[in-house]
């Protein structure tokens, strides 16, 4: 992975590494055993970075969706009470 900050590559850089290594392996007509370990190590590191970022985004989405659901349920309850109060007046 080539990065301006090689200790902490971005998701985009890690994903690009995974794609490049997959393409490199697919394009080989004969296995390149001499460089296989390097490719596997790079790919494993890139995968961990991508997975950690995806997990973090998934967690944030779940939290936000849960909050949205809570607000929607509370608003729905409030709306029903207001509508009921209006109908009582009429």
């Amino acid at each position: 992975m080539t990065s301006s900050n090689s200790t902490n590559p971005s998701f985009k850089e890690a994903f690009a590494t995974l794609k490049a290594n997959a393409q490199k392996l697919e394009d080989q007509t004969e296995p390149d055993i001499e460089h296989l370990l390097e490719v596997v190590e790079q790919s494993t590191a890139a995968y961990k970075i991508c997975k950690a970022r995806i997990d973090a985004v998934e967690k944030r989405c779940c939290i936000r969706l849960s909050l949205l659901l809570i607000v929607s349920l509370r608003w729905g309850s409030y709306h029903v009470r207001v509508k009921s109060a209006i109908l009582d007046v009429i």
Side-chain angles (χ1 to χ4, degrees):
M1 283 176 282
T2 59
S3 171
S4 56
N5 185 359
S6 61
T7 59
N8 194 14
S10 69
F11 174 86
K12 189 174 184 177
E13 291 167 330
F15 189 71
T17 297
L18 285 173
K19 285 176 59 174
N21 286 348
Q23 190 65 49
K24 187 185 305 183
L25 292 173
E26 286 179 10
D27 292 345
Q28 289 180 351
T29 55
E30 295 180 14
D32 183 4
I33 300 300
E34 300 302 320
H35 297 103
L36 183 61
L37 183 57
E38 178 184 343
V39 170
V40 169
E41 288 173 347
Q42 282 181 352
S43 298
T44 301
Y47 169 79
K48 288 178 182 178
I49 291 166
C50 290
K51 180 162 179 13
R53 183 65 183 135
I54 290 169
D55 289 346
V57 169
E58 182 181 29
K59 182 179 178 179
R60 288 183 70 190
C61 286
C62 287
I63 290 169
R64 291 187 186 242
L65 288 173
S66 296
L67 291 173
L68 181 60
L69 178 61
I70 290 168
V71 168
S72 296
L73 291 173
R74 286 188 179 167
W75 171 251
S77 174
Y78 173 76
H79 181 72
V80 168
R81 285 182 292 182
V82 169
K83 187 175 181 181
S84 177
I86 292 171
L87 290 175
D88 287 344
V89 171
I90 297 176

